[in-house]
Amino acid sequence: MALHPLTESDLELILPWRNAPAVRRAMVSHHEISLDEHRAWFERLQQDPSRRWHLFQDDTGSAQGVVYFTDIDAEQDSAFWGFYARPEAPSGTGLQILFAALTLAFTELGLHKLNGEVLADNQRSLYLHQKVGFSKEGRFREQHHDGAHRIDIVRLGLLAREWPEQCERLRARIAQLTELKS
């Protein structure tokens, strides 16, 4: 499993993933993104040191998802994060992406705290965050409007000191899933 900084050559690969209806529903921005808009976003990203985007590749080198860190605050050693898997990604990919992302956050980035925000109706993501040790820290009532409804946003956080225990537990779970697939 590996995370590689997103490059311009990855843009056409990941755009259909980001525009997939299931992915768009879980994002704050729901509209379908054009290739030109996608390229403009990538150009802005290159100039912003508070944001880092990575392509996730599985053990076979196959691209399976995207991980991003935003609002990176070097003074506070904190950031927000998010991810999405390609729509056809195999079962268990989300857990692998989480493991790679959290390892990067607490080692290479040296974060003290990693924050996440999840739309309250995205129970799958909420469950996954809590499964890997994130704690609910707040609820922003009716914070997001999806065009038809007001949706709460749940704020979650994981501290660096909580990561070692979660890391070992996740590593064991991923090994168990890999063994079952064999």
Side-chain angles (χ1 to χ4, degrees):
M1 297 178 293
L3 290 174
H4 301 286
L6 199 62
T7 66
E8 189 171 357
S9 63
D10 299 322
L11 295 180
E12 289 187 37
L13 171 70
I14 68 168
L15 182 59
W17 303 351
R18 176 56 178 83
N19 279 334
V23 173
R24 285 196 340 254
R25 269 192 306 276
M27 298 294 195
V28 173
S29 171
H30 297 293
H31 75 283
E32 192 161 327
I33 299 166
S34 71
L35 183 56
D36 287 341
E37 182 181 0
H38 197 49
R39 287 187 193 285
W41 161 81
F42 185 75
E43 289 303 317
R44 288 189 308 276
L45 178 66
Q46 301 310 300
Q47 308 306 315
D48 187 349
S50 72
R51 300 187 311 165
R52 289 181 58 171
W53 286 66
H54 299 270
L55 185 67
F56 172 79
Q57 294 177 318
D58 64 17
D59 290 333
T60 69
S62 177
Q64 299 291 345
V66 174
V67 170
Y68 52 92
F69 298 95
T70 62
D71 299 319
I72 299 170
D73 183 335
E75 187 174 313
Q76 295 299 319
D77 295 326
S78 67
F80 282 82
W81 92 292
F83 78 98
Y84 55 90
R86 72 177 178 90
E88 307 81 23
S91 178
T93 298
L95 202 56
Q96 292 177 341
I97 292 173
L98 267 163
F99 182 79
L102 297 177
T103 300
L104 179 77
F106 294 117
T107 56
E108 183 182 322
L109 295 180
L111 297 180
H112 169 73
K113 183 176 183 184
L114 187 61
N115 300 292
E117 290 186 337
V118 177
L119 296 175
D121 63 354
N122 189 347
Q123 292 300 309
R124 188 173 175 191
S125 184
L126 283 170
Y127 173 75
L128 193 56
H129 275 81
Q130 291 179 294
K131 185 176 180 177
V132 300
F134 279 81
S135 297
K136 284 185 181 177
E137 295 186 341
R139 186 176 196 100
F140 298 91
R141 297 176 307 137
E142 298 183 7
Q143 181 75 21
H144 176 69
H145 189 266
D146 69 359
H149 306 94
R150 288 267 170 207
I151 303 168
D152 295 357
I153 291 179
V154 178
R155 171 78 58 90
L156 302 120
L158 182 66
L159 301 175
R161 70 173 176 262
E162 298 165 335
W163 173 235
E165 179 183 337
Q166 301 303 328
C167 177
E168 291 312 309
R169 203 170 52 74
L170 272 176
R171 189 184 320 272
R173 180 65 180 142
I174 290 169
Q176 184 181 42
L177 290 172
T178 302
E179 197 172 294
L180 287 174
K181 289 180 185 178
S182 300

